[in-house]
């Protein structure tokens, strides 16, 4: 029976012979085949050109390369379970670090690995800060450009589904309708070839006055500082109902005097009215709900208060967040 050591030795010898044979064949082709030598020179120049382009690219070149790399990784499947995501993240980061140390020619592939790892990491902002400190500058710029291009692609796809078909409104580019094209300019005022769309919402049918055209829930909303006065719900932004404090007029006091048979003079009645009739005050409705900790945030219902606390107020409450407290003081 053949032992494992003999098998391993045979495999090693075979691999060594194959390697030496390939080296001999490569050297023979390099010395005697002119076409092969030309191909080697072309490949070497291509690698050098790519390395130079990556090490000091322009903004447009970075954007173009980022678009190309996005198309490359778009078809790759992403893990779904937490365990698979963790394994995928570790593999992509390890591969990206190895490629980054291989030289500028491997930077694009390294950027793809770091970008894929970023998509499954639970705290992307934290990972971006780590990338900025640990990866080559060219790789980091490529990763950030890929993120920016992905956002632009998502923004463009948004108008494929918005507005809904049954809303009787459409998004159109006013520049195309008017035959005018607006181009993007750099900070230095240099005109580029990037066309800036001028989108607007147009009705596809006649709309009556007061008719609701379209409704949707906001993604982000906040009260203006001037509206943070206890009259509006901090969550749904609806006006909080108010009721006026009950006051007594002069006629009411006179009626009570007549009913009780009092002999007070008119001057005494007016004096009593002045004492009992302060300037009209408003008080919060019994339906008003405040944050039990800061007493600044006001809500129109218990549901709004609880939803706000669960979603964000527990992190932004001035009573427990120093930064939020300083910001609240600044806005006031």
């Amino acid at each position: 029976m053949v032992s494992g050591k003999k098998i391993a030795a045979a495999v090693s010898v075979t691999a060594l012979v194959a390697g030496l044979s390939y080296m001999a064949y490569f050297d023979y082709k390099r010395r005697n085949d002119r076409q092969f030598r030309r191909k080697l020179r072309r490949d070497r120049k291509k690698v050098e050109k790519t390395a130079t382009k990556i090490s000091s690219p322009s903004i447009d070149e970075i954007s173009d390369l980022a678009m190309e790399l996005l198309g490359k990784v778009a078809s790759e499947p992403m893990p779904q379970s937490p365990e698979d995501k963790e394994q995928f993240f570790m593999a992509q980061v390890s591969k990206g670090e190895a490629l980054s140390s291989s030289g500028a020619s491997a930077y694009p592939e390294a950027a793809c690995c770091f970008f894929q790892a970023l998509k499954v990491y639970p705290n992307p902002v934290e990972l971006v800060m780590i990338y900025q400190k640990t990866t080559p500058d060219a790789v980091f710029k490529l990763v950030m450009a890929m993120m920016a291009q992905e956002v632009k692609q998502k923004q463009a796809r948004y108008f494929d589904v918005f507005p809904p078909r049954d809303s009787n409104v459409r998004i159109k580019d006013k520049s195309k309708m008017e035959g005018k094209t607006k181009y993007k300019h750099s900070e230095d005022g240099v005109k580029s070839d990037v066309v800036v769309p001028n989108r607007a919402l147009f009705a596809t049918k006649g709309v009556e006055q007061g008719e609701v055209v379209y409704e949707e829930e906001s993604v982000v909303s906040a009260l203006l500082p001037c509206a943070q006065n206890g009259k509006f719900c901090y969550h749904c932004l609806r006006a909080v109902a108010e009721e006026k404090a009950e006051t007594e007029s002069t006629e009411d006091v006179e009626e009570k005097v007549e009913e009780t048979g009092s002999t007070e003079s008119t001057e005494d009645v007016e004096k009593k009215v002045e004492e009992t009739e302060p300037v009209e005050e408003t008080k919060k409705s019994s339906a008003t709900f405040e944050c039990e900790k800061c007493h600044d945030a006001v809500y129109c219902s218990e549901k709004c208060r609880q939803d706000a606390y669960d979603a964000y107020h527990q992190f932004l409450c001035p009573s427990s967040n120093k930064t939020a407290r300083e910001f609240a003081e600044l806005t006031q």
Side-chain angles (χ1 to χ4, degrees):
M1 183 175 180
V2 181
S3 64
K5 291 183 178 179
K6 291 183 178 180
I7 295 176
V11 171
S12 301
V13 170
T14 303
L16 180 61
V17 172
L20 292 174
S21 301
Y22 178 77
M23 291 174 62
Y25 171 76
F26 183 85
D27 185 65
Y28 173 80
K29 293 284 288 183
R30 181 177 62 81
R31 291 174 179 273
N32 300 284
D33 193 333
R34 296 178 60 185
Q35 296 295 332
F36 186 74
R37 290 199 300 271
R38 289 177 182 175
K39 183 177 182 300
L40 289 177
R41 284 196 295 269
R42 286 197 300 269
D43 292 343
R44 189 183 307 113
K45 289 181 179 179
K46 185 177 180 181
V47 170
E48 292 174 352
K49 184 178 180 181
T50 303
T52 303
K53 183 178 180 181
I54 293 172
S55 59
S56 57
S58 65
I59 295 178
D60 292 338
E61 288 173 340
I62 293 177
S63 298
D64 293 341
L65 183 56
M67 286 289 292
E68 181 182 339
L69 296 177
L70 270 180
K72 179 180 177 181
V73 302
S75 57
E76 295 183 8
M78 300 299 292
Q80 302 299 324
S81 67
E83 294 79 10
D84 292 342
K85 287 182 179 180
E86 183 177 358
Q87 293 179 3
F88 180 81
F89 170 79
M90 297 300 296
Q92 292 297 316
V93 169
S94 177
K95 184 178 178 182
E97 290 175 346
L99 290 168
S100 295
S101 61
S102 300
S105 60
Y107 283 177
E109 192 173 353
C112 289
C113 295
F114 288 130
F115 177 77
Q116 292 290 76
L118 187 66
K119 295 185 71 174
V120 298
Y121 195 71
N123 191 344
V125 177
E126 179 185 12
L127 188 57
V128 166
M129 295 175 67
I130 296 175
Y131 284 168
Q132 188 175 15
K133 297 178 181 178
T134 59
T135 61
D137 185 61
V139 174
F140 178 72
K141 287 181 178 178
L142 266 178
V143 174
M144 297 305 295
M146 292 176 70
M147 293 175 61
Q149 291 297 334
E150 185 182 42
V151 171
K152 289 182 179 179
Q153 290 180 359
K154 290 181 178 179
Q155 290 175 341
R157 289 197 299 268
Y158 173 72
F159 294 106
D160 293 337
V161 296
F162 173 84
R165 298 301 178 186
D166 58 352
S167 63
N168 300 312
V169 289
R170 292 289 180 272
I171 293 287
K172 297 181 181 180
D173 192 335
K174 292 178 63 177
S175 299
K176 291 182 179 180
M177 296 173 62
E178 298 171 356
K180 300 177 182 178
T181 304
K182 184 179 179 181
Y183 294 94
K184 184 178 180 180
H185 289 71
S186 65
E187 295 180 357
D188 300 332
V190 180
K191 180 180 176 181
S192 68
D193 296 331
V194 180
V195 178
V196 179
N198 184 16
R199 298 186 181 94
L201 204 60
F202 293 85
T204 58
K205 69 166 191 175
V207 180
E208 299 293 334
Q209 183 176 359
E211 180 182 352
V212 177
V213 178
Y214 177 67
E215 290 182 342
E216 68 172 352
E217 292 186 3
S218 59
V219 178
V220 179
S221 61
L223 283 173
L224 293 173
C226 62
Q228 297 177 7
N229 51 14
K231 297 182 179 180
F232 299 92
C233 178
Y234 273 49
H235 186 62
C236 68
L237 311 185
R238 291 189 178 95
V240 176
E242 293 181 350
E243 59 183 13
K244 294 182 179 180
E246 294 181 358
T247 59
E248 292 183 319
S249 64
T250 304
E251 290 77 7
D252 294 333
V253 176
E254 290 179 346
E255 288 179 1
K256 289 183 179 181
V257 170
E258 292 176 358
E259 290 175 359
T260 57
S262 175
T263 57
E264 291 180 319
S265 64
T266 304
E267 289 79 6
D268 293 333
V269 171
E270 291 178 353
K271 184 177 180 180
K272 186 175 181 180
V273 170
E274 290 177 0
E275 294 175 352
T276 59
E277 186 180 25
V279 179
E280 283 190 355
E281 297 179 353
T282 60
K283 63 180 181 180
K284 293 174 182 176
S285 169
S286 58
T288 301
F289 298 84
E290 295 179 343
C291 171
E292 296 176 350
K293 295 182 178 180
C294 67
H295 302 288
D296 291 333
V298 177
Y299 305 99
C300 63
S301 65
E302 176 62 27
K303 183 179 184 303
C304 274
R305 178 168 64 179
Q306 192 61 46
D307 289 348
Y309 184 82
D310 293 341
Y312 54 85
H313 190 68
Q314 59 177 313
F315 309 109
L316 301 178
C317 184
S319 65
S320 57
N321 188 314
K322 180 181 177 182
T323 304
R325 182 166 60 252
E326 293 175 350
F327 179 75
E329 293 173 355
L330 177 65
T331 57
Q332 291 172 0

